[in-house]
């Protein structure tokens, strides 16, 4: 999925390359009628609604009721909108802590994949979903054995990609306001626009508060990394992580590197002289154990050994799910701001 899950941190680059050739076909697909329901349902107030996503128009005659979610931030976003009863299947999530109150809801939803990725084509099509929500395109790569966007559309399972992560280029163009656009679009799709607007207001308030607290303070020089002894897996000056650092009162020491999740040389990291380090935190990837956040931080400190960050051993383990489009990334900005400017959060 371009996902990466950087949970998919490691998947990111590889899967972005795989999916860059995927062509999205235009569609205006209403959710499929579920087996056992009447085909001529009465019109629902406020419907049909149409939203745009990945250059396609998606039209819904009624709210989806049998939803499949991909990588966890997509599930978190629907749960934040109070839509757990609409979710019929989800992927596995075991890489980091759940948001408060969401683990209990997660446990009640059937798991259809043992990894963060959507299941393979046959299993996916068999779900009979009337809506599919994910964070990027990797889970729809037909070359990888997944059901494509066009195939799912044709089956009555329209796909929506959060954050506009519809291609590698669009991943680099992400801006924080796209999270609010997604929430409003989902509010329309599910007939809960009032609920969505309330959530948008809460998140915008949280973001404004964090920005106000750090306003006028000297930005902290930040290295965001996923570890590596050389080359280093790190986050450049394009995309979601860079946006979060800036909003939290930091400045990305790799801002001149065109890329989101990318590889940089040991020399670049050593010369960057970070004052603080953000480490992508996840324990497993596709069932395999990953290096711990403390271990990845030590790798960064060893490379930038004369930096203020290394001398103070100053790092924050940032859940990698927060580095993907969805409800969580706005919440994480406050955590980053409090880490970079702790004295701004004492009142």
């Amino acid at each position: 999925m371009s996902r990466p899950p950087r949970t998919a941190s490691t998947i990111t680059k590889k899967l972005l390359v795989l999916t860059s050739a995927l062509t999205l076909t235009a569609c205006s697909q209403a959710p499929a009628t579920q087996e056992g329901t009447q085909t001529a349902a009465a019109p629902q107030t406020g419907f049909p609604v149409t939203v745009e996503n990945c250059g396609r128009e998606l039209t819904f005659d009624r709210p989806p009721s049998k939803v499949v979610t991909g990588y966890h931030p997509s599930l978190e976003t629907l749960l934040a909108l109070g839509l757990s009863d609409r979710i019929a299947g989800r992927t596995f999530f075991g890489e980091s802590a759940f948001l408060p109150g969401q683990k209990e809801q997660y446990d009640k939803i059937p798991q259809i994949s043992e990894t963060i990725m959507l299941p393979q084509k046959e299993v996916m099509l068999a779900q009979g979903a009337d809506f599919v929500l994910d964070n990027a395109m990797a889970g729809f790569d037909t070359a990888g054995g997944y059901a494509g966007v066009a195939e799912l559309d044709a089956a009555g399972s329209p796909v929506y990609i959060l954050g506009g992560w519809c291609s590698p280029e669009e991943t680099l163009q992400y801006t924080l306001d796209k999270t609010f656009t997604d929430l409003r679009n989902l509010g329309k799709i599910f007939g809960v626009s009032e609920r969505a607007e309330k959530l948008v207001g809460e998140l915008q308030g949280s973001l404004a508060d964090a920005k106000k607290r750090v306003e006028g303070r000297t930005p902290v020089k930040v290295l965001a990394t996923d570890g590596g002894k050389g080359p280093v897996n790190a986050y450049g000056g394009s995309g979601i992580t860079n946006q979060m650092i800036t909003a939290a009162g930091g400045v990305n020491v790799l801002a001149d590197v065109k890329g989101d999740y990318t590889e940089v040389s040991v020399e670049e990291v050593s010369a960057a002289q970070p004052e603080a380090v953000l480490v992508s935190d996840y324990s497993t990837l596709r069932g395999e154990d990953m290096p711990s956040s403390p271990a990845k931080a030590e790798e960064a400190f060893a490379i930038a050994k004369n930096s203020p960050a290394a001398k103070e051993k100053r790092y924050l383990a940032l859940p990698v799910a927060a580095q993907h489009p969805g409800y969580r990334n706005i919440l994480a900005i406050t955590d980053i701001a409090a880490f970079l400017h702790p004295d701004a959060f004492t009142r």
Side-chain angles (χ1 to χ4, degrees):
M1 299 189 196
S2 95
R3 134 160 17 215
R6 259 157 275 174
T7 270
S9 291
T10 331
I11 317 182
T12 299
K13 243 168 49 169
K14 300 176 181 175
L15 292 182
L16 279 173
V17 170
L18 281 174
T19 60
S20 60
L22 182 62
T23 301
L24 298 180
T25 57
C27 77
S28 178
Q29 185 76 37
T33 301
Q34 299 305 307
E35 186 176 352
T37 63
Q38 289 191 320
T39 57
Q44 190 153 342
T45 303
F47 285 81
V49 297
T50 299
V51 300
E52 184 177 334
N53 184 248
C54 291
R56 300 144 58 235
E57 285 193 343
L58 303 176
T59 297
F60 298 83
D61 294 327
R62 58 190 179 279
S65 60
K66 193 175 183 183
V67 180
V68 166
T69 59
Y71 181 45
H72 197 67
S74 60
L75 173 61
E76 290 177 333
T77 301
L78 291 187
L79 295 183
L81 285 168
L83 297 170
S84 61
D85 60 329
R86 314 286 184 90
I87 306 168
R90 56 151 178 86
T91 60
F92 172 74
F93 180 73
E95 63 189 27
S96 56
F98 284 78
L99 290 175
Q102 289 199 349
K103 177 65 163 63
E104 297 79 7
Q105 297 176 76
Y106 167 93
D107 287 338
K108 294 176 182 178
I109 300 169
Q111 179 172 300
I112 60 172
S113 172
E114 294 182 355
T115 73
I116 56 174
M117 303 289 288
L118 289 168
Q120 292 283 288
K121 176 178 177 177
E122 294 76 12
V123 176
M124 186 64 195
L125 290 174
Q127 300 305 310
D130 59 8
F131 186 63
V132 181
L133 185 66
D134 210 340
N135 300 79
M137 294 305 301
F140 308 99
D141 173 28
T142 56
Y146 299 99
V149 169
E151 289 177 298
L152 286 163
D153 282 339
S157 304
V159 174
Y160 187 103
I161 302 295
L162 292 174
W165 276 22
C166 308
S167 69
E169 295 74 25
E170 288 163 301
T171 299
L172 301 182
Q173 296 165 7
Y174 173 89
T175 56
L176 293 174
D177 64 308
K178 291 186 178 180
T179 293
F180 305 130
T181 298
D182 286 335
L183 288 170
R184 290 186 171 113
N185 282 344
L186 292 170
K188 292 178 184 177
I189 291 169
F190 287 92
V192 293
S193 287
E194 188 173 325
R195 199 182 302 172
E197 202 58 48
K198 180 181 178 183
L199 184 58
V200 166
E202 291 171 356
L203 291 176
Q204 288 178 332
S206 172
L207 180 59
D209 177 69
K211 287 184 174 182
K212 184 176 180 180
R213 287 174 182 270
V214 303
E215 186 178 12
R217 295 171 181 267
T218 302
V220 178
K221 296 170 63 177
V222 178
L223 168 68
T225 178
D226 190 27
K229 297 179 180 179
V232 178
N233 300 312
Y235 298 84
S238 304
I240 190 168
T241 299
N242 184 67
Q243 293 262 326
M244 293 166 69
I245 291 170
T246 302
V251 58
N252 186 351
V253 295
L254 299 176
D256 291 337
V257 176
K258 184 181 179 181
D260 180 17
Y261 185 86
T262 188
E263 290 182 345
V264 296
S265 69
V266 167
E267 290 75 19
E268 286 177 282
V269 173
S270 178
Q273 290 294 293
E275 297 168 329
V277 175
L278 297 181
V279 179
S280 297
D281 182 52
Y282 55 106
S283 59
T284 60
L285 177 63
R286 292 193 166 190
E288 296 184 13
D289 292 340
M290 292 288 106
S292 68
S293 292
K296 288 188 282 191
E298 286 300 328
E299 289 176 343
F301 296 151
I303 293 169
K305 58 185 177 182
N306 295 318
S307 69
K311 292 174 182 177
E312 297 175 18
K313 301 292 184 182
R314 187 183 181 191
Y315 80 94
L316 174 69
L318 180 65
V320 75
Q323 294 176 273
H324 293 77
Y327 169 70
R328 186 192 284 241
N329 69 66
I330 302 297
L331 300 178
I333 290 171
T334 296
D335 296 332
I336 298 170
F339 163 65
L340 299 180
H341 301 280
D343 54 330
F345 288 81
T346 56
R347 46 182 168 79

